[in-house]
Amino acid sequence: MNHQEPFVFYTERRLVALTGMRARTLAQLVGHLGEISGSSIFYHTHQMYLAHHFETPVFSNDFALWVGGALQQEALGEKLAAVDLLSFTSIRQLREEIIRVIERHMAAGGWQDRECPPGDEFHFCRSKSFIMPTGLEARDPDEFFEILPRVSNLSLFFHFFESRLRLGHATNDFSEWLAGRGETGLAQAIDEADPYIMTLDQFKQRIIMIGKSRS
Amino acid sequence: MAIHLADYEEVAGRETIEELRVLADKVRGRRLQNINSTPVGGGVAEILTRLLPLLRELGIDATWDVIKGDQAFFNVTKAFHNALHGNKETITAGMLEAYRATTQANLEQMNIRGDVVIVHDPQPAGMVELRRSMGRQWVWRCHIDVSNPDRQVWEFLEPYVNQYDAAIFSMPDFAQQLPIAQYMVAPSIDPLADKNRALSPDFVNEVLARYEVDPERPVVTQISRFDRLKDPLGVIAAYRMVKRRHDCQLVLAGGGASDDPEGELVLREVQEAAAGDRDIHILLLPPFSDLEINALVRGSTVVMQKSIREGFGLTVSEALWKKKPVIGGAVGGIKLQVIHGITGFLVHSAEGAARRLAQLLDDPQLRTELGENGHSHVKQNFLLTRHVKDYILVMLALDHPNEDIIRLS
């Protein structure tokens, strides 16, 4: 990103692609996790942020929900839900961590690899993302925060989740651009905000508040 | 009166319609040809009737053709349909030959105009044979669950399916491992159709009165065919458990098919189970009762869909759209619509249903909260406008088969 360039707000639309791969047991899940595409890992750790828009979200990734629900291995479900998505900047790292958590649990013993009830299988999907400019551009930080309330959740999703994890950026796009404009404090404050524990609506409000603290 | 895209702004949101216009610009002028096996009746014809005018208004040249077949062919495809659902059917070599012969006749007659050709369900699946000579992009849109098919029928159809550029399924559970791209496009409800559009309270009360349902007392409703897989007897059992402490009425409403002896049997069983209770209303509705069904759901306090097995179960979205909390069996597509504790409750037994029903009848605030969440969930995920968007995205995806991140200008 050239930091003298304006910030271009992008948005995305998503089509769900199916793999036909399914798991009935924990061993099958972890086996597939090593083989499936990165876009499948991304989909199952992020889809709920776009699919649900409720006041009180119960965010967890699909792996955690399935292990805790269909396999009734609640302890492992909790461990998977606690995987800190914000601490990874690539899908590769995230995949390795999820596999590591499951394998460590399996190695510890004291559990049985039972099959889920029929109809509760885990189905691996992928995310096919279409990225496009919104037409909104900010030339400087003032304009950036002025535009922010008009930016959609899908745009936020792209700049915070997709761009960082799938395009391999070190931080979110907002922080990267603001830091390039000398706004290191704001960049850091946004970088430290955790988008994974609130709805995208709430997260947008959080960033708007960070912007207000500047003036 | 024709319905236009702008009419959806009020219910689906202005930004949703604007989004469709922006996306459609990327495929403007492209020809999208649909092929199915029946011009009227059935879910596919219904959805095409609603989708096509919107796609055309967006500048996509969407058309629809129907294959021709005689009764023998449709008997074969009916047997295929049952076998693909995992039921045991006897499929003879003669039946396979009848399928091939009808496919061949249609291959010779069909005018392929589409840049993208979407072929719906197994009946016309063989039309893809034209791809070799004509090119174009071909998509098999499978509306049924083929996850556990009868091997013989699947092995017959698979060589056709594998010739397509992509397949579309309604939910991940329905998919197969295939060498071609597969996408998910969930079914949708039309918020402006008679079954879903807003109704005046007077009309709702008039319909309730017509069926002798008291609008002043709580109403629990299940809308479904009289079919064991919808578990109407389980619903009555749950109602009886709740009724001991909570005043309520039960409405079981559905259409009947004169050619369905099993349905008549189930209806008789349900009527016997309900005998002697004036608060249970068993309604066998005639065809074209969409407005009445709409009113019955709008007049309900809680809606049930206690299926034991289910395809997608769009009746759930129809109820959630009307801000009704839904108690649903934890099967099939119901699990995508009822988010446990957020838009309703998923249950596995009549006892579980009864417990949740008592909770909901007792807590108006919870009903309101789940109802609002349900409406928002359907608005986001199961409206016709989302269906239009997905079809446009599939057209775009066909141009980028090997990319997971596609940049559009």
Side-chain angles (χ1 to χ4, degrees):
Chain A
M1 191 181 291
N2 180 340
H3 302 121
Q4 296 316 307
E5 293 285 318
F7 187 91
V8 179
F9 288 92
Y10 282 85
T11 185
E12 69 167 75
R13 295 296 178 272
R14 188 189 61 183
L15 184 64
V16 179
L18 305 172
T19 67
M21 289 166 85
R22 60 188 80 160
R24 290 190 175 83
T25 64
L26 193 55
Q28 288 172 0
L29 181 79
V30 78
H32 288 320
L33 276 168
E35 303 163 6
I36 51 165
S37 67
S39 57
S40 184
I41 303 271
F42 181 79
Y43 175 83
H44 289 295
T45 47
H46 287 79
Q47 61 95 10
M48 73 289 294
Y49 295 94
L50 282 183
H52 302 170
H53 293 258
F54 308 119
E55 283 295 308
T56 323
V58 251
F59 290 139
S60 186
N61 61 70
D62 291 348
F63 305 122
L65 288 173
W66 184 72
V67 167
L71 295 185
Q72 296 190 333
Q73 303 210 19
E74 291 85 357
L76 178 58
E78 286 175 10
K79 287 178 199 167
L80 285 168
V83 168
D84 177 14
L85 299 175
L86 204 55
S87 65
F88 305 102
T89 54
S90 77
I91 293 289
R92 185 182 56 77
Q93 295 168 345
L94 176 56
R95 181 203 303 266
E96 285 169 1
E97 177 62 10
I98 293 168
I99 292 174
R100 196 189 60 79
V101 170
I102 298 176
E103 286 182 341
R104 187 185 281 179
H105 177 83
M106 292 168 91
W111 64 283
Q112 275 190 322
D113 196 8
R114 59 184 152 205
E115 279 203 2
C116 67
D120 279 352
E121 295 83 3
F122 189 93
H123 298 274
F124 286 92
C125 302
R126 282 189 299 123
S127 189
K128 201 161 174 103
S129 306
F130 299 84
I131 314 297
M132 57 197 153
T134 58
L136 297 171
E137 292 189 13
R139 281 161 298 180
D140 54 49
D142 285 338
E143 201 171 26
F144 179 90
F145 285 104
E146 215 176 280
I147 289 173
L148 203 52
R150 284 149 57 199
V151 167
S152 71
N153 285 348
L154 286 159
S155 180
L156 221 57
F157 183 88
F158 171 72
H159 289 294
F160 276 82
F161 300 140
E162 190 102 42
S163 175
R164 198 171 57 84
L165 271 172
R166 295 183 84 187
L167 302 177
H169 296 175
T171 178
N172 67 80
D173 289 347
F174 289 5
S175 293
E176 192 181 348
W177 184 79
L178 287 164
R181 293 293 177 120
E183 296 280 3
T184 47
L186 282 177
Q188 193 181 342
I190 293 174
D191 188 49
E192 284 168 0
D194 187 348
Y196 289 107
I197 55 169
M198 54 190 106
T199 65
L200 287 167
D201 286 322
Q202 290 163 340
F203 187 60
K204 185 160 86 174
Q205 287 311 313
R206 177 72 62 88
I207 304 174
I208 290 170
M209 292 309 290
I210 291 172
K212 281 188 180 154
S213 70
R214 167 176 174 264
S215 48
Chain B
M1 198 174 65
I3 292 177
H4 295 284
L5 204 52
D7 298 326
Y8 288 86
E9 279 189 7
E10 200 178 323
V11 283
R14 194 171 169 184
E15 64 289 349
T16 301
I17 306 307
E18 195 45 45
E19 172 194 20
L20 290 181
R21 293 189 205 281
V22 169
L23 281 175
D25 261 353
K26 323 270 180 219
V27 289
R28 180 170 287 279
R30 228 180 271 189
R31 292 167 299 185
L32 178 73
Q33 182 175 9
N34 290 274
I35 300 175
N36 84 326
S37 60
T38 170
V40 284
V44 178
E46 188 181 330
I47 195 69
L48 287 175
T49 305
R50 299 185 178 283
L51 271 178
L52 262 55
L54 300 184
L55 287 165
R56 285 190 201 120
E57 203 181 325
L58 285 163
I60 296 160
D61 183 4
T63 56
W64 175 9
D65 291 281
V66 178
I67 57 162
K68 295 189 179 77
D70 56 14
Q71 194 53 48
F73 171 75
F74 287 112
N75 288 343
V76 173
T77 57
K78 173 83 179 159
F80 276 16
H81 180 95
N82 292 337
L84 289 170
H85 271 121
N87 300 326
K88 197 63 214 153
E89 290 279 336
T90 305
I91 308 287
T92 64
M95 291 165 84
L96 300 181
E97 193 42 47
Y99 182 92
R100 285 195 200 96
T102 302
T103 298
Q104 186 56 39
N106 279 286
L107 290 174
E108 287 160 16
Q109 289 170 17
M110 182 72 69
N111 178 13
I112 298 296
R113 296 176 301 267
D115 302 307
V116 175
V117 186
I118 301 189
V119 178
H120 297 261
D121 281 341
Q123 298 92 329
M127 297 306 293
V128 73
E129 297 277 12
L130 289 169
R131 182 175 180 269
R132 243 175 265 157
S133 57
M134 304 190 72
R136 321 292 174 89
Q137 292 169 318
W138 290 73
V139 179
W140 186 49
R141 196 331 175 194
C142 181
H143 297 266
I144 62 175
D145 178 358
V146 294
S147 56
N148 292 299
D150 172 84
R151 289 321 308 171
Q152 185 196 4
V153 172
W154 181 249
E155 279 166 19
F156 175 75
L157 284 175
E158 198 177 9
Y160 292 121
V161 173
N162 290 345
Q163 290 180 57
Y164 284 86
D165 293 273
I168 300 176
F169 294 96
S170 295
M171 52 191 276
D173 310 44
F174 289 5
Q176 281 269 351
Q177 273 192 292
L178 297 172
I180 59 172
Q182 299 182 65
Y183 301 112
M184 178 173 104
V185 176
S188 61
I189 64 164
D190 184 346
L192 302 183
D194 281 350
K195 215 190 273 186
N196 298 307
R197 68 182 169 87
L199 298 176
S200 72
D202 285 351
F203 180 77
V204 171
N205 285 336
E206 182 206 311
V207 171
L208 291 180
R210 199 186 307 162
Y211 294 111
E212 296 175 356
V213 179
D214 179 359
E216 301 302 320
R217 294 167 54 217
V219 181
V220 181
T221 298
Q222 174 159 304
I223 306 286
S224 69
R225 292 192 315 274
F226 291 96
D227 180 330
R228 285 188 217 291
L229 296 177
K230 312 292 181 189
D231 198 20
L233 294 175
V235 175
I236 293 177
Y239 155 85
R240 288 205 197 285
M241 288 179 226
V242 168
K243 179 82 171 174
R244 289 179 218 143
R245 291 202 194 92
H246 299 265
D247 177 41
C248 61
Q249 309 161 85
L250 177 65
V251 174
L252 290 172
S258 55
D259 61 346
D260 179 12
E262 168 85 359
E264 281 179 35
L265 190 66
V266 175
L267 177 62
R268 263 205 306 278
E269 285 173 13
V270 169
Q271 283 166 334
E272 279 166 24
D277 188 335
R278 292 172 58 91
D279 277 338
I280 302 182
H281 304 267
I282 312 293
L283 310 179
L284 190 61
L285 300 174
F288 309 109
S289 297
D290 285 359
L291 276 174
E292 285 74 13
I293 290 172
N294 184 345
L296 286 169
V297 173
R298 285 185 190 278
S300 299
T301 316
V302 177
V303 170
M304 313 263 284
Q305 186 59 58
K306 214 200 114 3
S307 307
I308 294 166
R309 210 173 117 189
E310 190 59 77
F312 198 83
L314 268 181
T315 46
V316 171
S317 276
E318 284 162 0
L320 294 175
W321 178 246
K322 299 173 185 78
K323 302 189 177 179
K324 302 299 168 186
V326 175
I327 298 171
V331 290
I334 295 176
K335 291 187 289 184
L336 298 182
Q337 301 165 82
V338 174
I339 302 172
H340 189 68
I342 294 180
T343 67
F345 293 109
L346 290 171
V347 297
H348 300 82
S349 62
E351 289 78 5
R355 198 174 135 249
R356 293 305 186 179
L357 182 54
Q359 184 185 1
L360 284 168
L361 289 173
D362 205 43
D363 190 342
Q365 198 181 333
L366 179 64
R367 291 200 302 269
T368 305
E369 194 182 309
L370 300 190
E372 289 292 337
N373 282 341
H375 179 80
S376 142
H377 187 46
V378 172
K379 185 174 176 180
Q380 185 73 20
N381 297 296
F382 301 114
L383 288 190
L384 182 65
T385 40
R386 195 238 65 238
H387 212 142
V388 173
K389 179 184 76 177
D390 282 351
Y391 268 46
I392 297 171
L393 291 180
V394 167
M395 292 174 81
L396 288 166
L398 290 168
D399 293 340
H400 305 271
N402 300 317
E403 299 160 56
D404 282 334
I405 300 181
I406 297 136
R407 289 185 180 277
L408 304 172
S409 53

